[in-house]
Every structure is written in structure tokens, then in C-alpha cells.
Amino acid sequence: MSHHEHPQSTNTESDTQLEPLIAACEQEPIYIPHAIQGFGATIVTNPSMTQVLYASANAAAFYAQHQEPSTPLTAKITQQSDWLQINPQEFFPDSLFTELNDAGCNEAIWVETNTLSYLAWRTDSYWIIEAEPNYPHVSNWFEVQFQRAFHLLRSSQTQQQLLQNLCDLVQGIADYNRVMIFQFDDDWHGKVITEAVREPFNSLLHHHFPASDIPPQARAMYSKNPIRLIPDCEQPPIPLTTIHGTAAEAEANPIDLSTGLLRAVSPLHSQYLQNLGVGASSSIAIFKDQALWGLVACHHSEPQVLDRRRRRLLVRIVEFAAERLWLIHARNIERYVIRMQEAREQLAISAKTAETPHELVKEHAERWLDLFQCHGICYVRGDKMTTMGQNPSSRELQKIVRWLEEHARDEFAWHSHNLKDEVPGLLLENSLFAGLLAIPLKNNADVFSYFLLFRLEQAEMRSWAGVPEKLQVETAAGTMLGPRKSFALWEEEVRGKSRPWRPAQLYAARDVARDLLIVADTMQLNILNDKLEAVNQQLEKLASFDDLTGIWNRRRLEEKLYSELKEAQRYKKRFGILLFDIDHFKRINDEHGHNVGDQILQELSAVVKEALRDTDMFGRWGGEEFLVIAPATGMPELMQVAERVRKAVAELNQAGLPQITISVGVAEYINDQSWDELIERADRAMYEAKDSGRNRVVAGTEKK
């Protein structure tokens, strides 16, 4: 049975017959209009506070018993008709009027005197004053009790410890037989998660209650007043009697008592509590982010009034406990986020050596299975799928991905813990999987990625507080869903669902999935960059290097000549060049062929590179001519470098190749305006070397 469905009825009525009753239950008034409970009295005045319009039927007797000593004799009340003559401004304490005038519409104020405790609020049409007997305590009783509760709750380190301490505190202060923490689920069914219980009640711990037990209109009331008090479940309601005006006027302009505490109890709810064996009840709301999270529900076997000071103390304690509860929750999330951050850092480290994102999934799957509390992981990128742990079949996975592509591609995280019911047909009928968390990764239109987490079905034996009967009762408002009569334990098996995904897990899964996407895209980009780098290197080689010898070509040499010249002109630096060619190279080509000539050029290039310094730049100037650029070098060092190069070539003795020599022209930068001038001097010196018999070095020292 789905947890969001109403529990199956043991009666013979069909669900179709029950649907109107359930709908009527949600519209049922949860208190009796124009009626109160008898642990106080209610007075309704006009906005100017000059007339009493309505008074609860017990008001005269109540005020006769609890009259303020300072009340003027002219304002004494002995019978209900006396309200006709009462001026509220004389009857009630001045501090009450002051507080009400300063308060906003429907803003409740609390004023105490030695005799009475007032709760009052105003609307556009009425001023409403509730009064209860005041039972003075020791002056610092409230502070002592709250400090005790504060220290106990603040010392709680876990949610369970905190809630148990809260139950014990409430029971100790209010003296109820049973105090429960009642938590709502997403469908407003409730579960007792903690309790403090004593005789004559039995434990209801871990019992569930259907949403119809606390309908929407009842839950909404807690936003107006966080506490609901029923001191006597069997006490009949006390009506408001008309003092000035008519019943028709009251019906046309009804009095909203929801802000107060005295409002009368719905007969159906009163009967429900009596069926449960409860004589007195109270409940205090627990809010999370301004939404109702649960209740502190209290039961007593006999009627019992909880005075206003104790109520206010309990509300304060519950509010503080809620703050502490969400702090513990936030710290748990913080610890989880730290664990996830560590996992992401490990992923980043692994990504430096992994070749594909699929490798990373395999490497980190075990840790992720633990962090996400899931049973299987599936990573999809394009047409490749990697699975780890327990996953649906390949066919089911493909069907899931196709469905996600069509219905959830633009969502940051699609999740379900009831997959078979939410998307019928995605899983086989006998599949044990129920939970899916899917992160679509939209990196581009052609290659899509999904990070999928799966959870197995988690069968649960659910204990209900009694057979959830659906009984019809006739009320003034029509046929209603009546209160259950039996609260004996009733169990059912809930199947087809997994553990729900927590918000922190959704965001953590999204972050991991995006990390994988970044890694995958980075790897793809690196592959493309490597290819581009290889192409660029090839282009660079073609643009800057000589194909035959592997040394710089003329274009590259000219660039360096230009930059060296500019640097020398600006910073007065020295540099020089060596220009040489192979003696009788044409004869070698003619006699031995061009293949041998090419080998000679290659061997010469290799031996010259060995003879040069690391800072020297060497390239092929053209044909059999070569150029060396020597930075930060002048005469006579240039001549020494040139002689070393000439000697190395002359000593080159490669089997199968003829002996060769070179003629070298040397030129040093002398305030030249262009590198052409430098080349021209070196070229004249080279030809002078040839004319002088070849295999020698000549310096070109003068400008033409």
C-alpha cells in the first residue's frame, strides 16, 4: 500500500463511496463557532470598548468568582444580564486597553493581574478578551524552569536525544500521562517518533496515524496559535450569549475565535479523544522554515487544566528545542557536505591520471554508494554506459534514459522513491528497484550525459494506531467521516518504495555529476588540444625548420636577425654572425649525385650543431649556405667560434661520403641600420675566404 494513500478500510464501503466523506472531513469545522471551553470566559466588545456585545454563558459566574479587587462597585457582575450595563473600559484593567491599542489586527496580547490572566486580540469588528484564573508562582519560577530546560536541551547532541529530553521536560512540567513527538510525512500522515509514557496509557511509539486524524484545517490553525489546549474532553461547549445586537447580526458577522485558546472543540474530535481514552489533551506545534513539521502531543487520563504560565513556558521550550533540532540537522548536513567535498577532491586528484570519466566512476563507485546510500550507480555519456553495484537491466536503463531525455532533460535533478507508480512501465513488474535520482548533464546537443543512482525497494511493516475505520456519522454539516473507535495495533506491509532522497543528497549528486561532466569535457578538450598541438607543431616545423636538415630555415633566421638587431640598437648589445658554404659543393653533386649531396648537408648540420654553444642559433640560409647567429658575442670570440666550426667540418669523416671543407665569413654588428648590411659584410668575407684558397675563416670588419 502506498504511504500517500488512505489506509484500506475494513468496512464494505467502496473507495468511491468514501471519497466524499474524506473530502467532507477536510471541510469539517474543527471548533464550534460562538462557543468556548469552560476553563475560562470570553467577552466580545465593540471596537470602541464601550459595549459588551457577547459574553460566554459562564461569564457572569466566572467573574463573580474571580472579580478583580480594584473593580468599581458599579461594575460588579452577579448575573448574565449585568453585562448590559457594563462599560468594558471600567471593568477591565487599563493595561489591557493600552496593550490592545498598540497591537496589530489579530495580534494576541497577554496581560496578567493578581487574579486573572487575559489573552486578547482585536479585529475590525470586535475586541475579544479571554480570561482564565491566574495561579501566581514563585517570582522566578518561569526563569528557573526555562534555564533548566535550556541547559538540558543545549547539551543534547543527537536528534533522538534532544526529542527524548523534550518529551521528559514537557511531562515533568505539565504532568501529562503521555507526551509524544508526532512527525508529519510528505502526505501529512503522522508517526510517533519519541514518547514519554506512564500508566494508565500504553506506548504508541512508532505508531502511524492517517492524515484524516489531523485534517488540513486543524493543521492550519497552528500557524495562528502554536498551542491547542483541551482540558476536559467530555465538557460540553459553552455558547456565547448575545448581550447587545441580534443573533442575525452575529451570523452575518461571525466571531473568529481561532486566535485564542478557549474556542470549543469539534464534537467529532472530542469523541475521537474519548475513544482514545484521553481525558485532557494539548498539542504544541514544531515548525521548520515556517512550515509545520510535527507536534508535541500530550494526553492525560483525567481532565486537567494547564495554566497560562505553564503553557507559555512549554511553548518557549518547544521553540528552543526546534531551533536546537534544526541546528543539529544543519551540523549533520555540514558533516555530510565535508565528506562529499573530500570525495570530490579525491575525484579531482584521480582525474589527473585517468583516461576516461568511466574509469573514474569505477574507481570511486564504492565510496559514492556509501555517501548516497544507494545500491547502484550508472554513468551514461553518449552511447557508452558504465554501471557499478546493483542496477536495473540494460534494457530498463536504456528505457529510463530515453524517458529522461523526453521528460526531464532540463531539470537539475529528477528523483523518485516510488518509480513504478510515478512512471509506470519503466521497470519490469518484478523489479526490486524503487528509487531513482537522475542528474541530466547538458554539455551539448550531440553528446548527453546522465548520472543515475538507484535504490532498492525498502519493504516496511507499518504499525497503525488502530484499524483505520471509515465510519459515516451524521452531523449538522451533513454526512462526515466519523472518529475511529478502536486504537488497537494494526499492521500492514508497505511495498514498492525506497528510502526517500534527502535534499543534501540531491545537491551532492548534482555536484559530483557536474564534476564528471567537467572531467569528461576536459578530457575531450585535451584530446582535441593534443591533436591541435601536433598540427601546430607540424605547421611550426614547416614554417621554421628546414625539411632536409631539421635546422632553422631562412624565414626563421631572418626573424632572429631582426630581433637581435633591434635589441643591439636599443641596449647597445654585441652580436655577430657566421656565414659559410661548402667548398666545391656543385662538383660533389655532379660527381656523386644529389642523394650524396643531401647526406652531406645533413651530416654537416649535425656536426656544426655539436660545435656551437647553447646560445648560438644555426640554420640553412639557402642551398649549401649556412648561417650562425651568435648573441652577446664580438671579436675575437666570433673568430674562435668560426674556427671551431670550420675545424669540426674539416674533420668530418663519414664512410661513403667525400671529405668536405667550408669557407666562413664573420661579421660583427657595427651600428648597422638593417641586418642586410651585416649579411653583406659576412658574404664579402666568405668570398674572400674562397678566393684565398677555401677552408678558412675571414672577418669582414669594415662597412662598405
Side-chain angles (χ1 to χ4, degrees):
M1 185 196 74
S2 301
H3 75 282
H4 59 274
E5 298 172 345
H6 286 277
Q8 296 297 314
S9 173
T10 58
N11 298 338
T12 57
E13 296 115 330
S14 68
D15 288 343
T16 303
Q17 292 173 310
L18 289 170
E19 285 175 2
L21 297 179
I22 295 170
C25 174
E26 295 183 354
Q27 301 301 320
E28 172 200 347
I30 58 169
Y31 65 91
I32 301 174
H34 285 253
I36 67 166
Q37 300 180 75
F39 63 95
T42 297
I43 299 296
V44 180
T45 78
N46 60 356
S48 61
M49 286 286 284
T50 58
Q51 276 187 336
V52 174
L53 302 180
Y54 304 95
S56 59
N58 67 338
F62 177 86
Y63 279 101
Q65 182 181 356
H66 303 286
Q67 197 92 39
E68 297 278 4
S70 59
T71 303
L73 291 176
T74 56
K76 295 292 184 180
I77 295 293
T78 59
Q79 56 188 353
Q80 198 73 354
S81 59
D82 291 342
W83 293 111
L84 282 166
Q85 311 303 323
I86 289 297
N87 181 346
Q89 295 185 23
E90 295 180 359
F91 185 80
F92 293 105
D94 293 340
S95 57
L96 184 65
F97 301 123
T98 303
E99 293 284 349
L100 273 174
N101 278 315
D102 292 340
C105 189
N106 283 315
E107 179 185 350
I109 60 99
W110 180 42
V111 172
E112 275 192 347
T113 67
N114 290 332
T115 307
L116 292 173
S117 177
Y118 297 97
L119 179 70
W121 68 99
R122 60 186 177 87
T123 68
D124 293 335
S125 304
Y126 303 113
W127 287 31
I128 304 165
I129 303 166
E130 293 183 351
E132 298 176 51
N134 187 24
Y135 304 101
H137 294 276
V138 185
S139 60
N140 66 342
W141 176 88
F142 186 99
E143 290 76 13
V144 169
Q145 293 297 323
F146 184 75
Q147 284 298 320
R148 174 176 168 269
F150 174 81
H151 289 299
L152 183 61
L153 295 174
R154 190 175 62 175
S155 65
S156 303
Q157 298 301 313
T158 67
Q159 173 177 310
Q160 184 58 38
Q161 183 185 19
L162 176 79
L163 295 179
Q164 188 61 61
N165 285 339
L166 177 60
C167 279
D168 295 340
L169 282 167
V170 172
Q171 189 176 58
I173 293 171
D175 198 31
Y176 284 107
N177 297 129
R178 178 165 55 212
V179 178
M180 306 173 289
I181 306 296
F182 187 83
Q183 182 183 357
F184 295 108
D185 65 17
D186 291 340
D187 299 304
W188 296 109
H189 300 311
K191 180 182 178 182
V192 178
I193 59 173
T194 314
E195 72 171 358
V197 63
R198 63 192 181 204
E199 292 184 349
F201 287 136
N202 296 321
S203 173
L204 291 177
L205 187 62
H206 305 311
H207 284 38
H208 291 74
F209 291 78
S212 57
D213 280 13
I214 307 178
Q217 65 273 33
R219 299 192 296 267
M221 294 295 291
Y222 288 103
S223 296
K224 290 189 173 183
N225 195 328
I227 186 170
R228 175 60 161 147
L229 188 68
I230 305 174
D232 188 346
C233 295
E234 296 185 11
Q235 185 183 55
I238 298 173
L240 294 182
T241 60
T242 303
I243 306 301
H244 288 91
T246 66
E249 290 174 344
E251 186 175 348
N253 193 8
I255 301 170
D256 183 4
L257 299 175
S258 60
T259 301
L261 280 164
L262 295 183
R263 64 183 186 273
V265 184
S266 157
L268 293 182
H269 184 56
S270 179
Q271 188 61 55
Y272 173 90
L273 291 172
Q274 293 176 52
N275 293 348
L276 192 57
V278 174
S281 166
S282 68
S283 53
I284 305 173
I286 301 174
F287 289 95
K288 181 180 183 182
D289 298 330
Q290 299 182 335
L292 186 62
W293 177 86
L295 299 173
V296 179
C298 307
H299 294 159
H300 201 65
S301 56
E302 302 292 336
Q304 175 174 278
V305 176
L306 192 65
D307 66 84
R308 186 160 284 161
R309 281 203 171 190
R310 290 181 187 270
R311 295 200 304 266
R312 286 173 64 85
L313 173 62
L314 293 179
V315 170
R316 288 283 304 278
I317 289 173
V318 171
E319 288 174 348
F320 177 76
E323 292 176 4
R324 181 70 185 175
L325 181 64
W326 310 137
L327 177 61
I328 291 173
H329 181 66
R331 286 176 178 173
N332 289 337
I333 292 176
E334 183 180 354
R335 283 191 285 267
Y336 180 76
V337 169
I338 291 173
R339 291 178 63 203
M340 281 306 312
Q341 186 59 37
E342 291 172 351
R344 294 178 65 192
E345 290 172 358
Q346 289 299 315
L347 176 64
I349 293 171
S350 302
K352 296 176 181 178
T353 56
E355 294 185 1
T356 69
H358 297 274
E359 288 183 18
L360 293 174
V361 172
K362 293 177 181 178
E363 180 181 347
H364 294 271
E366 184 175 350
R367 186 172 191 176
W368 293 344
L369 289 170
D370 175 56
L371 284 169
F372 294 118
Q373 296 179 320
C374 61
H375 299 91
I377 293 174
C378 177
Y379 174 66
V380 182
R381 182 174 173 85
D383 57 358
K384 187 171 182 181
M385 185 180 293
T386 296
T387 58
M388 298 296 291
Q390 296 175 266
N391 291 277
S393 67
S394 177
R395 184 176 179 182
E396 288 173 301
L397 289 173
Q398 292 172 2
K399 188 182 292 188
I400 288 170
V401 170
R402 286 197 297 270
W403 185 89
L404 290 169
E405 275 292 281
E406 185 175 349
H407 297 92
R409 188 181 180 108
D410 294 328
E411 296 190 25
F412 102 87
W414 189 92
H415 61 95
S416 170
H417 65 282
N418 185 21
L419 192 55
K420 284 184 181 178
D421 286 350
E422 290 195 31
V423 191
L426 282 186
L427 297 173
L428 297 175
E429 191 62 32
N430 61 350
S431 175
L432 297 178
F433 291 93
L436 168 62
L437 170 53
I439 312 293
L441 302 173
K442 305 177 289 292
N443 53 332
N444 58 59
D446 299 324
V447 180
F448 59 86
S449 298
Y450 284 95
F451 187 59
L452 309 178
L453 304 177
F454 290 96
R455 282 178 176 169
L456 293 169
E457 171 189 276
Q458 187 178 47
E460 177 189 359
M461 289 303 298
R462 183 166 292 183
S463 300
W464 292 90
V467 178
E469 304 158 299
K470 294 185 173 73
L471 306 175
Q472 297 185 45
V473 296
E474 297 300 326
T475 71
T479 303
M480 294 288 179
L481 192 63
R484 285 184 284 126
K485 295 181 178 180
S486 171
F487 290 88
L489 178 64
W490 180 76
E491 291 189 336
E492 65 168 343
E493 186 178 24
V494 180
R495 301 193 65 90
K497 304 183 189 308
S498 71
R499 182 190 300 113
W501 303 96
R502 292 185 285 115
Q505 293 170 334
L506 302 185
Y507 287 100
R510 181 197 62 177
D511 290 341
V512 169
R514 287 182 174 177
D515 288 346
L516 279 174
L517 176 63
I518 292 171
V519 168
D521 287 349
T522 301
M523 288 177 174
Q524 185 67 26
L525 185 61
N526 287 340
I527 291 172
L528 295 175
N529 284 339
D530 289 344
K531 292 180 179 179
L532 181 61
E533 180 66 21
V535 171
N536 286 338
Q537 287 178 359
Q538 184 64 26
L539 292 174
E540 176 69 17
K541 187 175 181 180
L542 291 173
S544 302
F545 293 87
D546 179 62
D547 285 342
L548 178 63
T549 61
I551 59 177
W552 283 1
N553 59 17
R554 179 160 181 157
R555 174 180 170 276
R556 184 67 166 158
L557 288 168
E558 288 180 351
E559 290 176 354
K560 279 298 177 182
L561 278 172
Y562 178 81
S563 63
E564 287 293 326
L565 180 71
K566 290 300 180 184
E567 198 164 327
Q569 290 173 340
R570 176 173 296 181
Y571 302 109
K572 309 301 181 184
K573 289 186 177 182
R574 305 176 69 186
F575 84 99
I577 62 173
L578 284 60
L579 183 65
F580 63 88
D581 73 357
I582 303 172
D583 296 330
H584 304 300
F585 187 68
K586 184 177 182 305
R587 182 191 304 168
I588 293 172
N589 275 334
D590 292 341
E591 293 179 359
H592 300 277
H594 287 281
N595 286 339
V596 171
D598 289 346
Q599 291 182 51
I600 287 174
L601 293 175
Q602 292 170 340
E603 293 296 332
L604 177 140
S605 298
V607 76
V608 171
K609 284 171 66 176
E610 287 294 326
L612 292 173
R613 302 167 301 181
D614 292 339
T615 55
D616 297 330
M617 293 167 276
F618 174 49
R620 188 177 178 187
W621 190 247
E624 71 273 20
E625 284 189 335
F626 295 84
L627 180 70
V628 175
I629 302 173
T633 307
M635 296 296 186
E637 290 86 0
L638 283 171
M639 295 298 289
Q640 295 170 0
V641 173
E643 183 57 32
R644 188 164 63 248
V645 169
R646 184 204 64 76
K647 183 178 180 183
V649 173
E651 294 175 353
L652 176 62
N653 186 10
Q654 189 70 27
L657 296 179
Q659 198 78 23
I660 60 170
T661 60
I662 59 173
S663 298
V664 184
V666 179
E668 181 182 2
Y669 165 74
I670 309 174
N671 297 323
D672 299 290
Q673 296 303 306
S674 70
W675 56 262
D676 291 313
E677 298 177 17
L678 194 61
I679 289 291
E680 183 181 354
R681 292 205 309 278
D683 187 61
R684 289 202 308 269
M686 181 183 69
Y687 278 99
E688 185 179 338
K690 287 185 178 294
D691 292 341
S692 301
R694 294 183 171 82
N695 190 22
R696 64 192 61 209
V697 176
V698 174
T701 56
E702 295 181 1
K703 299 178 78 171
K704 188 174 179 181

